[in-house]
Amino acid sequence: MRGPSPSKDVRLPPLAAIQAFEAAARLGSFERASEELFVTASAIGKRIAALEAQLDVTLFIRSSRGATLSAAGREYLEQVRTALDLLSDASLHKRGEPKLEPLRVVSTPTFARQVLIPALPGFTAAHPDVELEIMLSIPYLDIMPPNADVWIRFGSGKYPGLHARPLTSDPVFAVCSPAYRDAHGPFERPQDLARAALLRCPMEPWRPWLGAAGLDWPEPARGVWLVDLGMMLAAARAGQGIALTRRTLAAEWLDEGKLLRVLDIETPGESQYHLCTEISRPPGGAAQAFSLWLAEVCERASQWPRGLPAKPE
């Protein structure tokens, strides 16, 4: 098949002409092509003639018995079919691909590890149109990645420029591993904690709990110091000592018996988890859906098995 000569029009042929040629070649006649494309047979003939003129090649050999493809026409038909298939695939791909809404979430490490990530498959399955990105903050050092849509923060809930929705209202209680209790217990009275190692974290001070237990003890000055609630919880799980925690964070290990409550004493958590969005920028649909979903996750996590509190030792 000859290519277009330099003197000929080198613009792309009209799609209608290409479709007329492909239909006539596939169906074997101009009349049947006209029925498929809802135009007259004369219009099919004119489109193919214009295509031949633009390409400077004979695509059909016309006779009294009809029109049959020429050798050049057969070669061109393969090229046309490939091009039409590519155009069709591109259109279907674009039409079938959902438009993703980005959602950037910044979370504290412990909340992300203990609450958010284990439950996340439920959100992604229900919202496949949300493109989720999760970043971590460092509360103790007040390091917070910028440009987020949603922040999960641990504190008082008073953050300038942010609307804060409470996610938890957890009381605080003491826990240890079964092995630590067996080795250093029993812990039947608050005074028995004098022989225990109290794990320390600046995010969860001991003084409020000690006061509720009737112990006029100062904040522990010795023992392992951990700047993350999750690390303190993991240290207790590993038998390092007694930690303060909350049901939302420790639910899995409590339910599995890997952590046990120490005494039946709890205090209101001075700090709680909040979901925050910018006051100046109303949350989008993805952020609203995430907020509702996460509130339900935290509500479920805060409940004891079958709604009953754990039995004290």
Side-chain angles (χ1 to χ4, degrees):
M1 175 179 174
R2 299 195 311 273
S5 66
S7 62
K8 294 293 182 181
D9 190 350
V10 295
R11 293 176 301 173
L12 290 175
L15 182 58
I18 293 175
Q19 288 175 315
F21 164 73
E22 189 279 332
R26 172 167 45 82
L27 297 172
S29 75
F30 290 7
E31 288 74 13
R32 294 177 65 185
S34 70
E35 293 173 1
E36 180 176 285
L37 298 178
F38 301 101
V39 296
T40 65
S42 174
I44 294 293
K46 290 178 180 178
R47 291 178 184 180
I48 293 175
L51 180 61
E52 290 175 320
Q54 185 171 347
L55 296 175
D56 191 23
V57 68
T58 299
L59 298 174
F60 283 94
I61 299 174
R62 295 160 177 83
S63 67
S64 59
R65 292 179 296 178
T68 58
L69 280 172
S70 66
R74 288 192 295 272
E75 181 182 344
Y76 190 60
L77 178 62
E78 294 301 318
Q79 298 173 10
V80 163
R81 283 176 172 169
T82 300
L84 290 176
D85 286 343
L86 289 173
L87 287 172
S88 178
D89 289 344
S91 299
L92 289 173
H93 177 71
K94 183 176 181 181
R95 193 163 57 240
E97 188 175 82
K99 184 178 180 181
L100 299 179
E101 183 177 358
L103 179 64
R104 194 177 197 215
V105 177
V106 173
S107 174
T108 63
T110 299
F111 189 92
R113 186 168 51 248
Q114 303 295 123
V115 182
L116 177 57
I117 300 303
L120 199 57
F123 180 80
T124 55
H127 301 277
D129 56 335
V130 175
E131 188 174 41
L132 193 61
E133 179 183 359
I134 298 177
M135 306 288 289
L136 294 180
S137 62
I138 305 178
Y140 180 63
L141 301 178
D142 200 24
I143 296 177
M144 191 77 57
N147 304 322
D149 300 297
V150 172
W151 290 265
I152 299 168
R153 303 190 64 165
F154 182 73
S156 66
K158 297 178 181 179
Y159 309 110
L162 295 179
H163 171 74
R165 170 179 179 168
L167 289 174
T168 63
S169 57
D170 285 342
V172 175
F173 50 87
V175 295
C176 70
S177 69
Y180 189 85
R181 179 200 59 187
D182 295 343
H184 301 276
F187 303 115
E188 298 174 345
R189 302 174 303 156
Q191 292 78 5
D192 294 338
L193 267 64
R195 58 176 178 269
L198 303 184
L199 300 172
R200 302 181 297 152
C201 177
M203 313 300 293
E204 201 76 271
W206 273 96
R207 272 299 306 143
W209 189 92
L210 293 173
L215 299 174
D216 189 20
W217 296 356
E219 190 71 26
R222 300 184 61 183
V224 178
W225 174 265
L226 303 145
V227 297
D228 177 77
L229 291 172
M231 288 195 296
M232 180 171 65
L233 197 61
R237 167 70 183 85
Q240 195 75 26
I242 297 178
L244 292 176
T245 191
R246 296 133 185 275
R247 168 68 190 175
T248 301
L249 300 182
E252 181 179 359
W253 287 346
L254 287 166
D255 293 348
E256 293 176 350
K258 295 177 180 178
L259 284 175
L260 304 172
R261 286 191 63 160
V262 176
L263 302 173
D264 191 23
I265 298 169
E266 58 185 33
T267 59
E270 295 181 1
S271 294
Q272 297 291 341
Y273 286 98
H274 298 83
L275 188 140
C276 303
T277 55
E278 291 183 20
I279 294 175
S280 60
R281 182 162 61 101
Q288 293 179 19
F290 183 82
S291 175
L292 292 172
W293 168 81
L294 190 56
E296 293 176 358
V297 168
C298 291
E299 176 64 23
R300 290 196 303 269
S302 68
Q303 302 301 312
W304 294 97
R306 296 176 299 279
L308 300 175
K311 295 180 180 179
E313 297 182 16

